[in-house]
Amino acid sequence: MSCRRLIIANFLMMSLGGAVDADSTQYERDIRPLLTEKCGSCHGALRQEAGLRLDHGQLLRRGGDEGVVIDQQSPSDSRLLQRVTTKDLELRMPPSDEGAPLSEQQVNLLSAWIAAGAPSPEDEVIPIGPDQHWAWQTLQRPALPSRQDRFDLPNPIDSFVAAKHAEHDLDAYPLADKATRLRRLYLGLTGLPPTLAQQRRYLGNSAPAAWSNLVDELLQHPTYGERWARHWMDVWRYSDWDGYKDQLRGSQRHIWRWRDWIIESLNRDKGYDQMIVEMLAGDELAPDNDEVLRATGFLARNYHKSNRNIWLDATVEHTAKAFLAMTINCARCHDHKYDPLQQREYYAFRAIFEPHEVRVDRLEGQPDIQLDGLVRAFDAKPEAPTYLYVAGNEKHVDKTHSIIAAVPQVFGLPLEVEPVELPVFARHPSLRPFVEREELAVAQQAVAETRQQLLSAEGAVADDGKAKELVDAFDLEIARLAVAAAEAELDALKARWEADKSQYLALAKTGDVAGKQWAALAAEQQANLATTRLGLKQKNKALMAAEQIKDPTKKQDSVDKAKKEVELAQKQHDQALKDPEKNAEYTSVGEVYPRLSSGRRLALARWITRPDNPLAARVAVNYVWMHHLGKPLVANVFDFGLRSPEPVYRDLLDWLAVELIESDWSLKHLHRLIVTSRTYQLASTQNASTDWQTNERVDPDNRFLWRGNVRRLEAEVIRDSLFFVAGNLDRQHGGPEIDFSKGETVRRRSIYFRHAYEKQMTMLVLFDAAAPTECYQRSPSIIPQQALALSNSPLSFDQARSLASHLTRALTVAGTGDDRSFVEAAFQLLLGREGRKDELQVCDEFLRQQTQLLREEQSLTLLVGESRSQTSASASAAQRARENLIHTLMNHNDFVTLR
């Protein structure tokens, strides 16, 4: 190439951001993603308009039914370029209803690539169609690979991993030391570090079964459910009610009962399949079981006050993502660009949820559902139609025909829907015996109170003089009318209950039902008459009082207002005197809901959990694996679609998925398999006995699991650990959410604090707590505020001082209260390991210097500002130095890191 041509080529590369490469690098980096995004939906594995595929370099160069689209002799004349740049909207690609046209920069990239010869990798894999996609293949248990390394591998997981190591000449790290593995296990299964006693017990146990016995012990501990509930709450988008004061904008009040259901279900090892069924359709599966109904908080959580479409869109999207790793939401406005999901199928999936609503059922002992209640889903309109929104626009609804509830056809598994007839207490929850008992007790109390007031009024008339005779007469009459109204209300309530029970509980003969209904109507009319009569008398008394006002201005206004109220009360009284209309009905004692539920959600849940559904078990295994090993087997945890490449450990994923199903979907069984594997227990740091340099060169991202993954602990674990190591964590389980603003003073576990939009603990947010709207996989960050939160927060100061005090007392009682023993115990408790020799020496010197410094108070600088710490620093210089050391170790990287 001449110097001039070289200069021109370099200039072109710079102007295009380095887009022109001599090899196929540019294709991999820029062109293939561009063509996939803009052209893949019509010219890819799913569809090949005009026989043309643009998702593979060789197929692109080959052309389609109308010939080649790239002109090698005259690149600028290529039909591909002409079609993406033409001003004719009928010819321009992509079509206007399929997406935006290519930008000038994108056109330049494409032009430069064509001019360079349209290079692509020779070994580029042709994207497969849906029938060949790995994630949509029916699950089959793969055969275990033969053992191919020097270790005994009783755990099937290790057989798959060892085979990959052998295939790629990788030298796996040895097991991590016992202390590291112990801390990894405790934090992994319980979210809390091991205590000193727990460390001594395990580290001093050399029995071969010590590890597996410990695993069983931790899986049976209540803290396991609290730890893993938070992981699943990320996936299932747990959010407490979102509102301002008494407003309700998102989620629901009392949704914490769903949170407690998750914790309890995990601790009981309820099958994962059963959990899905109860969350999606607990009201159809067990409509009169309050314990199960809590699970439908999964649906109640999606509530959105301002727009039901937003509510249903979220339900569709996150049901598919959470349980199936399908992005069906991408088909809301048009056919899915990458997966075989048509827009119509999106609305067919929505139709499954179309009838459902959310209500709050009353609980025994609390009549006010604002204060407490059971939030649960139910089908309010079983026959509600679903229509397609043209281009996803809810203002442009195609009502030519409704869409039948169905599931995506890509799997070929039908949705088998059968309506569910609901028991009476699900349809009419006010008929539950405790409601009648409590309501009658309130009405009876009202009668007793009005009778007592009548006795007081009668006594006032007898004792007072003539000056109050007129007023007392009104009081006496009002008191008598109040008794009559209360008694009438009680009689009407009893009659209405009898009518409802005879109608809905079949406690009377057919002829008696009508009679009881008429009696209830008559009693209700009499109660209404008595109440309006009382109201009229009360308004007349208020008018009399207004007429006695001496200030003329105030008197006139008050009299005018009182007269209007008397007129209104008179109309109400006159209306109550009229006979009921011919078709009038009594008022039921509570709201009555539909007799039938559509059965669609129950059908969906059973469809998802069918053993031959290829996704549910794979998705669940991927989540569990991610939290134990630090990385998922399938990178995109909520999208197993065609863009998700086959994972390197696909056989291992499938083996575990089949194992999960065949163990009755036991998550504890899955945990046990993973954490007892050698793979889980591998060291994460460099080891002299391992060829780690070769490993790093061959597999720098540890895709083949030749070492453990180091990762920062989650926000909740960091906060809970601060309280726990100091012995101050409140281990109370369950209950209503705690205000997030109390996170530094209330010592409950983080899972029990309010978690909602704009209602999250600041410390948790800083350490990347789950977003309430969506958090399938947390993305840890490193920001200065995290260090400041640990070093400056009252929480860390309080717990450091508390721990230092507890530790000093314990060591003194044991007769080992010297500084070195304190330092050694602090390392083990806070970091889960022994301090290295150099670390211990530094800490010894720190305690010596700090103690001396603190004794010289005149040399200290007073910090201006009010401390919010609840625990004061020790008056002893030596003890305060220990507090500072503990505080420093709480800020150590190892305290917030899982190795």
Side-chain angles (χ1 to χ4, degrees):
M1 180 181 294
S2 69
C3 182
R4 182 173 180 273
R5 292 176 61 192
L6 182 60
I7 292 174
I8 294 175
N10 286 336
F11 176 78
L12 180 59
M13 289 178 67
M14 287 187 288
S15 67
L16 296 176
V20 181
D21 296 327
D23 53 18
S24 58
T25 303
Q26 185 208 7
Y27 173 79
E28 295 280 7
R29 186 187 65 232
D30 300 319
I31 303 304
R32 182 161 61 184
L34 172 63
L35 293 175
T36 299
E37 176 190 354
K38 296 294 186 179
C39 313
S41 59
C42 296
H43 301 284
L46 294 180
R47 295 165 57 193
Q48 299 87 44
E49 294 288 342
L52 176 64
R53 287 190 66 167
L54 301 178
D55 59 343
H56 185 271
Q58 180 181 345
L59 298 180
L60 185 156
R61 291 188 294 271
R62 180 187 301 169
D65 297 342
E66 299 176 7
V68 297
V69 294
I70 291 179
D71 190 334
Q72 297 283 2
Q73 303 300 319
S74 180
S76 60
D77 293 333
S78 297
R79 271 198 309 127
L80 179 60
L81 284 177
Q82 293 173 353
R83 293 298 295 273
V84 299
T85 58
T86 180
K87 302 299 183 182
D88 187 342
L89 296 183
E90 295 294 325
L91 297 176
R92 195 197 68 202
M93 295 293 166
S96 57
D97 59 349
E98 290 288 340
L102 272 64
S103 67
E104 181 180 357
Q105 181 185 13
Q106 290 170 329
V107 170
N108 289 339
L109 285 169
L110 189 60
S111 300
W113 175 69
I114 293 174
S120 63
E122 293 183 2
D123 58 352
E124 182 185 6
V125 177
I126 298 177
I128 60 175
D131 58 333
Q132 298 172 300
H133 184 52
W134 67 270
W136 299 337
Q137 304 304 305
T138 302
L139 273 169
Q140 296 180 345
R141 189 189 291 272
L144 290 179
S146 59
R147 297 176 179 175
Q148 300 185 45
D149 73 356
R150 64 184 184 279
F151 300 107
D152 183 32
L153 301 174
N155 190 304
I157 292 172
D158 297 323
S159 297
F160 288 102
V161 175
K164 286 292 183 186
H165 292 172
E167 179 183 346
H168 295 278
D169 295 324
L170 295 168
D171 187 13
Y173 277 5
L175 299 182
D177 62 83
K178 290 184 70 174
T180 298
R181 283 185 283 142
L182 181 68
R183 187 168 188 270
R184 186 185 298 174
L185 184 68
Y186 266 88
L187 289 170
L189 290 183
T190 73
L192 299 172
T195 65
L196 288 175
Q198 290 165 339
Q199 291 181 54
R200 294 188 189 107
R201 180 164 63 91
Y202 175 72
L203 297 178
N205 188 346
S206 58
W211 181 261
S212 59
N213 290 340
L214 179 60
V215 170
D216 290 338
E217 177 186 326
L218 296 184
L219 285 173
Q220 293 305 314
H221 200 277
T223 52
Y224 155 74
E226 293 172 322
R227 168 59 160 155
W228 276 85
R230 185 58 262 181
H231 288 321
W232 289 112
M233 286 159 66
D234 284 11
V235 179
W236 299 333
R237 298 196 328 131
Y238 177 87
S239 176
D240 292 297
W241 75 277
D242 172 24
Y244 176 71
K245 295 184 178 180
D246 286 336
Q247 292 180 359
L248 183 66
R249 295 180 294 194
S251 191
Q252 290 283 324
R253 291 181 178 87
H254 326 310
I255 201 80
W256 61 267
R257 295 182 186 279
W258 173 39
R259 176 247 290 153
D260 280 3
W261 172 88
I262 298 172
I263 295 172
E264 294 165 17
S265 297
L266 293 173
N267 278 330
R268 295 171 185 167
D269 201 21
K270 182 179 291 183
Y272 177 73
D273 60 334
Q274 183 69 11
M275 293 180 71
I276 292 177
V277 173
E278 291 183 12
M279 283 191 289
L280 288 175
D283 59 305
E284 295 182 326
L285 176 73
D288 52 2
N289 187 330
D290 286 358
E291 295 299 297
V292 173
L293 289 171
R294 296 178 298 168
T296 61
F298 173 81
L299 297 171
R301 176 265 170 273
N302 292 315
Y303 172 83
H304 191 282
K305 177 182 179 180
S306 65
N307 190 316
R308 179 164 171 80
N309 286 312
I310 294 176
W311 174 1
L312 290 180
D313 289 344
T315 302
V316 169
E317 174 181 356
H318 296 292
T319 298
K321 283 183 175 178
F323 303 126
L324 299 167
M326 292 185 70
T327 56
I328 194 172
N329 56 296
C330 295
R332 180 178 180 271
C333 305
H334 48 69
D335 291 350
H336 201 294
K337 288 184 176 296
Y338 309 110
D339 294 336
L341 298 169
Q342 297 179 358
Q343 185 188 17
R344 188 177 188 81
E345 289 183 301
Y346 170 88
Y347 290 95
F349 201 80
R350 169 178 163 146
I352 297 172
F353 299 99
E354 195 77 56
H356 95 282
E357 262 284 358
V358 172
R359 74 184 198 227
V360 182
D361 284 354
R362 176 173 167 173
L363 293 173
E364 189 168 2
Q366 179 50 267
D368 188 349
I369 60 174
Q370 289 285 92
L371 299 178
D372 198 7
L374 175 64
V375 58
R376 42 78 55 93
F378 74 107
D379 270 8
K381 300 176 180 178
E383 304 303 324
T386 297
Y387 299 109
L388 185 144
Y389 293 171
V390 179
N393 188 340
E394 62 188 69
K395 295 181 179 180
H396 297 155
V397 183
D398 179 3
K399 291 190 175 182
T400 56
H401 54 273
S402 61
I403 295 178
I404 298 174
V407 290
Q409 295 302 302
V410 62
F411 308 126
L413 307 176
L415 185 69
E416 300 172 352
V417 179
E418 291 185 11
V420 176
E421 184 162 359
L422 300 174
V424 64
F425 290 148
R427 297 159 44 206
H428 197 340
S430 294
L431 284 184
R432 289 173 294 178
F434 80 81
V435 179
E436 179 182 11
R437 184 172 60 251
E438 291 177 358
E439 289 295 302
L440 290 178
V442 171
Q444 289 164 349
Q445 180 64 25
V447 171
E449 290 176 355
T450 56
R451 286 174 177 171
Q452 184 60 46
Q453 291 167 358
L454 175 59
L455 289 175
S456 298
E458 289 173 339
V461 169
D463 295 338
D464 287 344
K466 294 183 178 179
K468 286 190 174 182
E469 184 176 347
L470 188 60
V471 175
D472 289 335
F474 261 95
D475 285 344
L476 182 59
E477 182 64 18
I478 287 173
R480 288 171 177 164
L481 290 175
V483 171
E487 291 175 341
E489 286 287 354
L490 176 60
D491 291 341
L493 191 60
K494 291 178 179 178
R496 289 162 57 211
W497 236 287
E498 288 302 312
D500 268 9
K501 288 192 288 187
S502 68
Q503 179 177 357
Y504 295 103
L505 297 180
L507 298 180
K509 296 179 180 179
T510 304
D512 292 338
V513 173
K516 289 181 181 294
Q517 290 177 346
W518 179 254
L521 177 60
E524 190 172 6
Q525 182 189 18
Q526 289 302 310
N528 185 37
L529 179 60
T531 300
T532 58
R533 185 175 292 143
L534 170 63
L536 179 59
K537 182 64 69 172
Q538 289 172 328
K539 297 303 180 183
N540 275 311
K541 180 182 177 181
L543 176 59
M544 283 179 51
E547 290 173 341
Q548 301 302 316
I549 296 175
K550 294 182 179 180
D551 185 326
T553 302
K554 292 183 179 179
K555 176 179 180 179
Q556 189 60 48
D557 290 341
S558 298
V559 168
D560 290 345
K561 180 180 178 182
K563 284 182 177 179
K564 290 180 180 179
E565 292 179 348
V566 168
E567 291 175 3
L568 177 61
Q570 185 67 54
K571 289 180 180 179
Q572 292 172 339
H573 177 260
D574 294 344
Q575 182 66 33
L577 283 172
K578 295 180 179 179
D579 291 332
E581 297 178 7
K582 182 177 181 181
N583 297 322
E585 296 181 356
Y586 74 96
T587 304
S588 175
V589 294
E591 187 168 356
V592 181
Y593 300 101
R595 181 178 63 86
L596 290 177
S597 189
S598 69
R600 298 176 191 175
R601 288 179 284 110
L602 183 59
L604 172 65
R606 288 175 171 161
W607 177 84
I608 290 173
T609 57
R610 287 175 55 147
D612 54 349
N613 186 312
L615 287 175
R618 283 185 173 115
V619 172
V621 167
N622 197 48
Y623 281 120
V624 174
W625 185 273
M626 174 179 69
H627 289 299
H628 278 309
L629 277 296
K631 292 182 180 179
L633 293 169
V634 183
N636 193 338
V637 294
F638 62 79
D639 185 2
F640 280 22
L642 290 179
R643 287 184 297 170
S644 181
E646 182 173 336
V648 296
Y649 279 113
R650 188 269 181 90
D651 285 350
L652 171 57
L653 175 67
D654 286 2
W655 193 95
L656 289 172
V658 173
E659 184 71 13
L660 175 64
I661 294 172
E662 294 185 355
S663 66
D664 293 328
W665 297 82
S666 167
L667 290 173
K668 285 189 177 182
H669 176 70
L670 180 60
H671 289 303
R672 191 177 292 108
L673 266 174
I674 293 174
V675 301
T676 56
S677 69
R678 185 175 183 277
T679 301
Y680 172 80
Q681 301 175 63
L682 292 179
S684 60
T685 54
Q686 296 176 7
N687 189 281
S689 65
T690 306
D691 186 5
W692 61 268
Q693 292 178 320
T694 299
N695 289 354
E696 288 282 3
R697 185 174 64 255
V698 174
D699 181 24
D701 296 325
N702 194 32
R703 296 168 62 236
F704 299 112
L705 306 172
W706 50 270
R707 57 170 169 80
N709 289 310
V710 178
R711 56 196 187 275
R712 202 200 59 219
L713 292 169
E714 298 96 327
E716 296 85 352
V717 178
I718 294 172
R719 177 190 169 275
D720 294 353
S721 294
L722 286 170
F723 283 113
F724 182 72
V725 294
N728 293 328
L729 185 66
D730 184 345
R731 304 295 287 274
Q732 178 184 348
H733 303 293
E737 75 275 16
I738 306 163
D739 193 294
F740 66 98
S741 64
K742 299 179 180 179
E744 295 202 359
T745 54
V746 176
R747 300 172 178 179
R748 295 286 302 281
R749 290 196 74 165
S750 300
I751 195 172
Y752 296 117
F753 285 81
R754 183 167 294 127
H755 177 81
Y757 178 67
E758 294 184 339
K759 292 179 174 62
Q760 288 181 273
M761 205 185 304
T762 301
M763 181 180 184
L764 299 187
V765 173
L766 289 176
F767 281 97
D768 311 306
T773 52
E774 179 176 347
C775 184
Y776 291 96
Q777 185 176 5
R778 298 194 191 186
S779 300
S781 64
I782 301 176
I783 56 176
Q785 291 89 333
Q786 293 164 351
L788 293 174
L790 284 179
S791 62
N792 294 338
S793 70
L795 171 59
S796 61
F797 277 114
D798 287 340
Q799 302 316 306
R801 292 165 180 170
S802 180
L803 173 55
S805 177
H806 294 165
L807 199 54
T808 295
R809 286 198 302 269
L811 292 173
T812 301
V813 170
T816 56
D818 59 283
D819 280 350
R820 173 51 69 92
S821 297
F822 181 88
V823 172
E824 290 174 344
F827 264 85
Q828 289 180 323
L829 182 57
L830 290 167
L831 308 184
R833 63 174 176 83
E834 294 181 350
R836 299 189 306 270
K837 183 178 179 180
D838 59 333
E839 291 176 324
L840 298 178
Q841 289 175 347
V842 169
C843 290
D844 288 342
E845 182 63 19
F846 171 82
L847 288 178
R848 186 187 66 78
Q849 292 182 0
Q850 192 74 355
T851 301
Q852 182 62 34
L853 180 64
L854 292 170
R855 282 176 180 155
E856 301 171 356
E857 294 186 7
Q858 68 282 0
S859 66
L860 301 179
T861 301
L862 179 65
L863 294 178
V864 179
E866 183 180 353
S867 172
R868 294 182 292 129
S869 298
Q870 294 180 318
T871 306
S872 299
S874 174
S876 163
Q879 184 60 24
R880 190 168 180 183
R882 289 186 172 189
E883 293 172 355
N884 293 344
L885 175 64
I886 293 292
H887 187 250
T888 300
L889 291 179
M890 284 179 170
N891 283 267
H892 195 293
N893 185 54
D894 282 0
F895 183 72
V896 298
T897 302
L898 191 64
R899 296 194 178 278

